[in-house]
Amino acid sequence: MKISHKLTLIFLGLALGPLVLGSILTYIDARDAFIRQTRTRLDTVAALEEHGIEKLLQEYTEQAQQLANNPALLENLNWMLYLGDVEAAEKVAFMLEEVVAVSDELVALEIISPEGKVVASTRPERVGSMVEEKQKPLDEGMLHIDRLYRDQDRRLLIQFDEPLYYNLERPLGSLKLLMQADDLQALTDDYSGLGVTGEILLARRTPDHSSAELLAPTRFDPDATLNRTIHLTSSSPLMFAFDPDTIQNSDWTDYRGKRVLASTRLIRSAGWALVVKIDRDEALNEAKMLANGMMQIFILVSLCTLLVALAVSRSLTLPLIRLTQTAHRIASGETNLRVNIDSANEIGSLADSFNIMAQTLTEYGEELERRVQQRTEQLRKANTALRQEVRQRLRAARILSDERNRLRTLIENLPCGIVVKDRNSRYNLINRSQMHLLGLESTRQALGRTAMDLHPGEAAKVALEDDERVMSTGEPLINVERIQVNPGMHNHHTLITKAPLRNKDNEIVGLVGIIYDITERKQIEQRLIQTAEELQRSNAELEQFAYIASHDLQEPLRMMTSFIQLLQRRYHGKLDAEADEYITFAVDGAIRMQRLINDLLAYSRVGTRGGEFESVDCGQIVQAAMDNLHLAIEESQARIELDSLPTLLADPSQLTQLFQNLLANAIKFRGENTPEIRIEASESGGGWRFCVRDNGIGIALDARERIFQIFQRLHSREEYEGTGIGLALCQRIVLRHGGRIWVESEPGKGSAFFFTLPVNTV
């Protein structure tokens, strides 16, 4: 810097320094006041927006949970998924359509099975399709906001997934709700109190956490919803909005590259980020106006001071200017040029020394230039090779670090125990699941120690023997059940797989173990076995009681019936009319009682006196049943049509009884019409589904389950005779064959009795 300039600057500094300092402090105070005022306003708007969005999501959540906990829906869904009930499937579909019809926000409802299959939907084309892996049901037992997207009609939809459990235990899959998100957009469209550049951003994080996708339109981009993705950087307010533990207020740069003031919130129930912002320029507009006024005053004072400083410095620096100009010309290449100043003072001596230095520099300049060029070329080549090597090593180190982190995270979060042991069975690695199984609190308690060191006993001895066998033979130990004991002396049933660990020379240096805790499964299996044994014993006792009771009643009832009938034959007409009527009542009652006991005996013999299963032609079975009903068919003039019926494994006597009871009911409950009966069979789910369809009087909806209960009658004996055991007997026969039976009917429109025989009987 020139001496004249230095003198000028010193003079200006002394004159203008206090003025500049006062102006700066005044501007900073005004700017900070405007920033605090703007931040307070942004915090207020952000808090109101956060409350509104959380409240809206809570309303959506309560609606989803109310539908997912509907007892009728869960009951019918359980019947549909686990029993294949067609009527239950129709009820589930009707319930879903009814809910969508009465809701303004709901667009569609779907039920997804635990296997990821759409089993019910208000969109029929979706039924039977498989959903993507990320859309499968959740196991956490909580509501999950899965997606926010636009449909083909450009409507903004929000998707909820709610797990479904039957009796809080049996998983039924998940309920997917598609709801319009217009109310969500309305909350972010209100820019009251945000000036002309203020915006409200609502975003969700992308799966790789490097970017955020906007979920609502912005003031400067109305089509931003699900169309704009913002890269998350340290200067982006969205980066800090996703941190649930802090609420940051600072200066940021938004997606337009503008510096902004912002207030951030995390919508915790959905994991969304909320940012309320305003351009920093607009917020500090008044402060800038104040700064402009102060700047004008400062410029005017500076000009006056500068003129005075230039006049003083010029008189002192004119000789030095000539010396400086000569030096610049020599530097530009005029190496033979010399300075000529006639002065006996220090400046003249400086000129002479300068001329000598210029001559010396000229001689050495050429040599130095040559050496610099050589050395520069050598350094350039070495630097290029070094940069390539550094890049390769950094890339390899980064890849290795990423792989190690992924492997460590995978091992730590597996639901099964993972261990790595050295050649002496000492733990080198143990994950969180195995520490919990052994009752340990940290890995330090296990590393470098053996199972015997941790929990001495028989279980540890067996574990060491297994380790030695695997490492000595080189053969893996696969799915072997073992007992493990924790410090509380609790036994855990485990399923263990161990495999040898080899180095690059194929030498065994240890082993890798995988341990599954199957204690709960073992307990459930034991309870199931006990329950099955108790149920089998109870059923056997009940069947034996029914058989003995009905069998022992046969003889006294037969004797009573015989003597009453003898009394009727001998004394009919010899007593008065009232006595004849009483005797007739007694005979009828005895006959009904005998018929009832015979039916009860037949009912009890289904499980205890059933025959062996053998290959039977169902067509011949139906013909035998029709032969048994020959008189009833002729009297009613019934018309019976048969489809092609299969050959399968069954008890021929009981199968004949089944068809005979169903045909007899179709003839008996014919009403005033001539009976028309059709028997069909079709393959269904790996088995056979039979249907006996008639045109009789039909059955009311509320009686469809009751008719299969023993002694249940829908009509009086004066209307239709019978004991009320026929359909109960049919159900018991079908259950013995491993199937189920049900009826579909409407009063006055006939009935269709369906029953199935699963594939294990075919």
Side-chain angles (χ1 to χ4, degrees):
M1 180 182 292
K2 295 181 180 180
I3 296 177
S4 61
H5 294 168
K6 291 183 178 179
L7 293 174
T8 302
L9 291 176
I10 291 173
F11 188 85
L12 289 174
L14 294 174
L16 301 179
L19 178 62
V20 172
L21 181 60
S23 300
I24 292 175
L25 293 177
T26 302
Y27 172 73
I28 291 175
D29 289 341
R31 183 197 61 187
D32 292 342
F34 288 127
I35 289 176
R36 287 193 298 272
Q37 180 181 0
T38 302
R39 285 178 175 170
T40 301
R41 186 167 73 252
L42 292 177
D43 284 343
T44 301
V45 175
L48 292 174
E49 290 292 328
E50 178 188 18
H51 175 72
I53 294 174
E54 290 284 9
K55 182 178 179 182
L56 181 62
L57 292 179
Q58 180 63 28
E59 292 174 358
Y60 289 163
T61 300
E62 291 175 355
Q63 185 174 355
Q65 291 176 343
Q66 181 179 7
L67 180 58
N69 293 326
N70 187 311
L73 176 64
L74 296 176
E75 181 71 23
N76 284 282
L77 183 58
N78 179 60
W79 278 80
M80 179 182 74
L81 292 178
Y82 292 94
L83 300 177
D85 193 332
V86 177
E87 181 180 357
E90 295 175 355
K91 290 182 179 179
V92 170
F94 176 77
M95 290 181 184
L96 298 184
E97 293 173 357
E98 187 177 34
V99 170
V100 172
V102 299
S103 175
D104 294 331
E105 294 86 10
L106 274 174
V107 175
L109 288 173
E110 289 185 356
I111 294 179
I112 302 172
S113 70
E115 295 78 19
K117 181 178 181 181
V118 178
V119 296
S121 175
T122 56
R123 299 179 291 182
E125 71 277 3
R126 290 273 298 157
V127 176
S129 63
M130 299 298 293
V131 299
E132 299 176 1
E133 185 68 22
K134 67 179 182 178
Q135 298 177 4
K136 286 191 175 182
L138 305 175
D139 296 328
E140 290 82 0
M142 61 181 290
L143 182 70
H144 178 60
I145 302 176
D146 186 63
R147 291 191 301 166
L148 186 73
Y149 62 94
R150 291 188 183 278
D151 63 2
Q152 59 185 5
D153 296 327
R154 301 301 298 165
R155 294 179 300 180
L156 186 63
L157 304 180
I158 184 170
Q159 175 180 320
F160 290 85
D161 283 332
E162 175 70 15
L164 298 173
Y165 290 91
Y166 182 68
N167 288 339
L168 302 178
E169 294 179 352
R170 175 181 291 176
L172 301 178
S174 69
L175 175 67
K176 182 168 76 175
L177 301 90
L178 294 181
M179 311 182 78
Q180 296 189 38
D182 296 340
D183 294 340
L184 184 64
Q185 286 190 307
L187 288 172
T188 60
D189 287 343
D190 185 8
Y191 302 121
S192 301
L194 296 180
V196 297
T197 62
E199 286 186 305
I200 300 175
L201 304 183
L202 185 63
R204 65 181 175 191
R205 219 165 193 169
T206 56
D208 59 359
H209 286 200
S210 65
S211 303
E213 184 180 27
L214 293 183
L215 305 180
T218 67
R219 170 173 274 177
F220 302 105
D221 189 358
D223 297 325
T225 305
L226 302 182
N227 289 328
R228 177 180 284 272
T229 301
I230 300 175
H231 183 66
L232 297 178
T233 64
S234 59
S235 62
S236 171
L238 286 172
M239 170 68 80
F240 289 93
F242 284 109
D243 186 355
D245 298 323
T246 61
I247 298 179
Q248 297 287 339
N249 286 310
S250 187
D251 298 338
W252 314 102
T253 302
D254 70 356
Y255 64 93
R256 300 172 296 147
K258 299 285 187 179
R259 294 185 67 195
V260 296
L261 297 178
S263 177
T264 63
R265 294 290 190 276
L266 178 66
I267 308 302
R268 298 181 183 274
S269 61
W272 296 342
L274 175 69
V275 175
V276 180
K277 66 182 183 66
I278 189 171
D279 284 4
R280 183 183 178 89
D281 291 340
E282 180 182 358
L284 301 180
N285 188 45
E286 295 184 13
K288 290 181 179 179
M289 293 175 63
L290 176 62
N292 290 335
M294 296 172 62
M295 182 60 68
Q296 293 174 1
I297 297 174
F298 176 78
I299 292 174
L300 181 60
V301 174
S302 298
L303 289 175
C304 296
T305 306
L306 180 61
L307 293 175
V308 175
L310 288 175
V312 174
S313 64
R314 183 171 179 80
S315 62
L316 298 175
T317 60
L318 188 58
L320 297 176
I321 291 175
R322 292 177 58 192
L323 182 62
T324 303
Q325 290 175 347
T326 302
H328 284 182
R329 293 176 65 184
I330 293 175
S332 64
E334 298 179 24
T335 57
N336 295 325
L337 187 65
R338 298 294 180 266
V339 66
N340 186 16
I341 297 178
D342 295 330
S343 177
N345 57 17
E346 288 83 357
I347 294 178
S349 300
L350 178 62
D352 294 338
S353 299
F354 179 82
N355 290 333
I356 296 172
M357 180 187 67
Q359 181 62 33
T360 305
L361 288 175
T362 301
E363 296 174 356
Y364 286 100
E366 296 178 357
E367 178 66 19
L368 180 62
E369 179 67 22
R370 184 183 62 81
R371 293 184 180 182
V372 167
Q373 290 179 354
Q374 293 177 351
R375 188 58 179 168
T376 300
E377 181 63 20
Q378 294 173 355
L379 290 176
R380 186 187 63 80
K381 294 180 179 179
N383 191 38
T384 301
L386 181 60
R387 282 200 300 267
Q388 292 178 350
E389 183 178 357
V390 169
R391 282 197 297 267
Q392 292 175 355
R393 292 190 177 185
L394 289 176
R395 183 165 52 251
R398 186 166 53 254
I399 293 173
L400 181 59
S401 177
D402 292 343
E403 290 296 332
R404 287 177 176 174
N405 290 335
R406 280 194 290 268
L407 180 60
R408 185 180 298 110
T409 302
L410 175 64
I411 292 176
E412 283 299 318
N413 292 280
L414 283 174
C416 59
I418 301 294
V419 297
V420 176
K421 297 182 179 181
D422 62 14
R423 199 63 178 81
N424 297 318
S425 294
R426 292 176 299 200
Y427 289 101
N428 286 344
L429 182 146
I430 181 170
N431 71 344
R432 188 181 297 111
S433 296
Q434 184 63 11
M435 287 194 299
H436 175 73
L437 187 63
L438 295 176
L440 304 179
E441 296 181 356
S442 68
T443 57
R444 291 192 299 270
Q445 295 177 271
L447 296 182
R449 306 175 71 184
T450 67
M452 188 65 73
D453 296 331
L454 295 177
H455 306 301
E458 185 63 27
K461 181 180 179 181
V462 173
L464 293 177
E465 292 175 353
D466 290 341
D467 295 347
E468 180 61 27
R469 182 161 58 254
V470 170
M471 289 187 285
S472 61
T473 63
E475 296 295 329
L477 193 67
I478 300 175
N479 291 340
V480 177
E481 291 191 18
R482 291 288 186 261
I483 300 295
Q484 288 196 359
V485 183
N486 62 19
M489 301 306 292
H490 295 124
N491 291 340
H492 287 270
H493 293 271
T494 59
L495 195 64
I496 296 178
T497 295
K498 294 182 179 179
L501 185 64
R502 301 178 184 270
N503 60 14
K504 63 180 181 179
D505 298 324
N506 204 32
E507 298 174 346
I508 297 177
V509 295
L511 62 82
V512 177
I514 303 175
I515 302 94
Y516 293 91
D517 188 355
I518 60 172
T519 304
E520 184 176 356
R521 190 181 76 184
K522 283 288 187 180
Q523 294 172 349
I524 294 174
E525 288 177 356
Q526 186 62 32
R527 288 197 298 269
L528 287 175
I529 292 173
Q530 294 175 354
T531 302
E533 291 176 351
E534 293 175 358
L535 183 60
Q536 184 177 7
R537 182 171 60 255
S538 176
N539 288 340
E541 292 174 354
L542 289 175
E543 290 176 353
Q544 185 66 18
F545 173 76
Y547 174 76
I548 293 174
S550 58
H551 184 273
D552 291 347
L553 288 174
Q554 289 283 351
E555 183 59 30
L557 182 61
R558 188 181 300 112
M559 181 177 296
M560 182 179 67
T561 303
S562 298
F563 278 103
I564 293 176
Q565 290 175 340
L566 179 62
L567 182 64
Q568 184 183 38
R569 289 195 301 270
R570 289 188 177 182
Y571 294 98
H572 181 69
K574 297 180 180 180
L575 303 175
D576 56 14
E578 187 175 7
D580 290 340
E581 184 179 9
Y582 290 162
I583 294 175
T584 301
F585 288 160
V587 171
D588 291 341
I591 294 174
R592 286 198 305 271
M593 177 63 74
Q594 191 171 28
R595 186 181 304 153
L596 182 63
I597 291 176
N598 288 333
D599 289 345
L600 182 60
L601 184 61
Y603 182 82
S604 66
R605 286 176 172 173
V606 170
T608 59
R609 298 295 191 272
E612 296 291 335
F613 282 15
E614 60 184 69
S615 179
V616 295
D617 185 347
C618 290
Q620 295 179 1
I621 292 295
V622 173
Q623 188 60 50
M626 292 169 60
D627 292 341
N628 295 340
L629 299 171
H630 176 70
L631 292 178
I633 294 174
E634 284 190 351
E635 290 177 358
S636 62
Q637 298 181 349
R639 293 192 295 271
I640 302 176
E641 298 180 8
L642 300 180
D643 276 359
S644 177
L645 301 180
T647 298
L648 45 77
L649 292 176
D651 184 336
S653 175
Q654 292 185 352
L655 199 59
T656 302
Q657 184 68 51
L658 171 62
F659 280 108
Q660 182 174 323
N661 286 5
L662 294 176
L663 288 172
N665 280 355
I667 296 172
K668 180 194 301 183
F669 299 104
R670 62 182 179 274
E672 298 179 356
N673 300 323
T674 299
E676 295 180 0
I677 306 170
R678 182 177 180 83
I679 301 178
E680 307 167 350
S682 61
E683 290 188 78
S684 174
W688 288 92
R689 186 179 73 169
F690 292 84
C691 176
V692 179
R693 193 183 306 274
D694 62 54
N695 63 339
I697 62 175
I699 301 171
L701 178 63
D702 58 356
R704 292 183 182 179
E705 300 293 336
R706 186 158 54 92
I707 60 175
F708 292 104
Q709 298 176 9
I710 191 169
F711 300 134
Q712 294 296 316
R713 296 174 52 86
L714 303 183
H715 307 280
S716 65
R717 292 186 179 86
E718 288 75 15
E719 293 178 295
Y720 297 99
E721 64 177 8
T723 61
I725 297 181
L727 288 178
L729 182 61
C730 291
Q731 184 181 51
R732 191 169 177 83
I733 292 173
V734 171
L735 290 176
R736 180 177 179 244
H737 285 73
R740 71 183 189 92
I741 186 171
W742 71 97
V743 63
E744 295 179 1
S745 176
E746 292 184 22
K749 295 184 179 181
S751 303
F753 283 86
F754 295 89
F755 65 91
T756 61
L757 295 180
V759 69
N760 60 350
T761 63
V762 176

